[in-house]
């Protein structure tokens, strides 16, 4: 699980994502505070950083996932920036 929280989010309580993160029993989890974002992190200034961290998370943990080779396919298409 990867949780992103915008530092300037006025919609979600700052404690909310932390409470959820602490309840997740998996060791394969990350909490990332986005320093320049509000609530809509997909549309905000940290999108490139968030996309890069998501790809890193998938690459780091997918080798531990119990799946067959055909059941996990992901295609990340990102335009206008480099990861």
């Amino acid at each position: 699980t990867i949780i992103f929280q915008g530092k300037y989010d006025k919609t979600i309580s700052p404690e909310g994502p932390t409470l959820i993160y602490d309840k997740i029993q998996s060791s394969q989890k990350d909490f990332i505070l986005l320093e320049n974002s509000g609530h809509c992190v997909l549309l905000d200034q940290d999108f490139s950083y968030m996309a890069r961290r998501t790809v890193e998370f998938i690459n780091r943990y997918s080798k531990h996932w119990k799946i067959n080779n055909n059941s996990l396919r992901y295609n990340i298409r990102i335009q206008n920036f480099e990861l």
Side-chain angles (χ1 to χ4, degrees):
T1 304
I2 187 169
I3 298 174
F4 293 99
Q5 170 75 22
K7 183 175 181 177
Y8 301 105
D9 189 338
K10 295 179 182 175
T11 304
I12 303 295
S13 165
E15 296 84 21
T18 304
L19 291 170
I20 293 169
Y21 180 85
D22 291 341
K23 297 281 184 188
I24 298 170
Q25 295 180 6
S26 174
S27 62
Q28 298 175 4
K29 62 183 181 177
D30 283 342
F31 175 82
I32 299 167
L33 183 65
L34 299 171
E35 295 289 334
N36 302 302
S37 293
H39 182 68
C40 284
V41 296
L42 292 174
L43 303 174
D44 223 325
Q45 296 179 27
D46 289 311
F47 175 76
S48 297
Y49 175 72
M50 185 180 63
R52 188 178 75 248
R53 291 296 302 265
T54 300
V55 170
E56 290 169 0
F57 180 89
I58 291 169
N59 289 335
R60 181 172 63 240
Y61 291 120
S62 64
K63 61 185 168 207
H64 302 291
W65 296 341
K66 295 179 182 177
I67 55 173
N68 66 44
N69 291 337
N70 295 322
S71 66
L72 176 67
R73 294 181 185 163
Y74 66 91
N75 179 14
I76 300 174
R77 184 176 172 186
I78 300 172
Q79 299 175 0
N80 300 323
F81 69 92
E82 294 181 18
L83 293 178

